[in-house]
Amino acid sequence: MYRRPESVLVVVYTKDLKILVIKRTDPFPCWQSITGSLNNSEKKYDAALRELQEETGLTNEGAIISTGVYRTFTIDQRWKHKYDNNTKENIEYEFYYELERPLTIKLNSKEHSNYEWVNIEDAIQTVWSWTNKESLKKLSLNS
């Protein structure tokens, strides 16, 4: 079964703008915020909560907010095999998850090998995708 070409990006941060970045292992090592595709009939908000829990173990320690922002990007060739051959682009919906302070994260070891809490400037430089960078820049300007 092919992936639905819609996904969520969840930026986890603290009130003093420490950003959670996680190191993805497949198909190549890279740092990112929480991401994941929507299941067949899943709503965006539900996907954001599910991915947050699957990738970090966080459930209700903070507040998840849909920003209403979405970005369309060309699907990277390293992920292309997961989509129907006619699918060229993905729509990514942006969410923020604010915490009081950095917490211990329970990574999904099938997807990620490490995590760090970093300041927002370092996070912008560290994350791989341009959509993740844009989300962090917006958070920086609005805080």
Side-chain angles (χ1 to χ4, degrees):
M1 177 178 274
Y2 292 116
R3 279 191 183 176
R4 179 176 166 185
E6 293 181 88
S7 62
V8 293
L9 168 72
V10 183
V11 174
V12 179
Y13 69 98
T14 63
K15 290 186 181 285
D16 63 350
L17 291 183
K18 294 294 183 195
I19 308 296
L20 174 66
V21 292
I22 56 179
K23 190 171 187 181
R24 182 174 197 88
T25 56
D26 184 50
F28 63 98
C30 63
W31 291 93
Q32 63 180 38
S33 292
I34 309 309
T35 62
S37 295
L38 277 70
N39 293 331
N40 286 337
S41 60
E42 191 173 35
K43 293 179 177 11
K44 298 174 276 195
Y45 185 84
D46 294 337
L49 288 174
R50 177 182 52 77
E51 289 292 341
L52 179 69
Q53 183 176 14
E54 286 177 5
E55 295 188 11
T56 67
L58 297 172
T59 55
N60 60 359
E61 298 81 356
I64 193 161
I65 300 161
S66 171
T67 67
V69 171
Y70 65 90
R71 297 176 182 90
T72 302
F73 61 86
T74 301
I75 297 169
D76 185 283
Q77 288 302 313
R78 291 169 279 205
W79 279 279
K80 187 74 180 100
H81 67 282
K82 296 183 179 205
Y83 297 87
D84 177 272
N85 287 338
N86 296 324
T87 303
K88 308 288 184 227
E89 295 183 325
N90 185 82
I91 300 170
E92 181 180 76
Y93 304 101
E94 178 184 85
F95 289 82
Y96 291 146
Y97 190 73
E98 183 181 67
L99 297 168
E100 288 290 325
R101 58 183 170 70
L103 298 175
T104 301
I105 300 302
K106 297 174 192 152
L107 290 178
N108 177 343
S109 61
K110 294 178 186 174
E111 293 185 50
H112 302 97
S113 63
N114 196 9
Y115 76 90
E116 293 183 14
W117 289 97
V118 298
N119 66 50
I120 197 161
E121 296 83 12
D122 289 342
I124 292 167
Q125 296 302 314
T126 300
V127 296
W128 172 75
S129 81
W130 70 267
T131 60
N132 204 162
K133 289 178 186 296
E134 289 299 312
S135 182
L136 289 166
K137 288 175 187 175
K138 189 179 89 171
L139 178 61
S140 179
L141 291 174
N142 293 336
S143 297

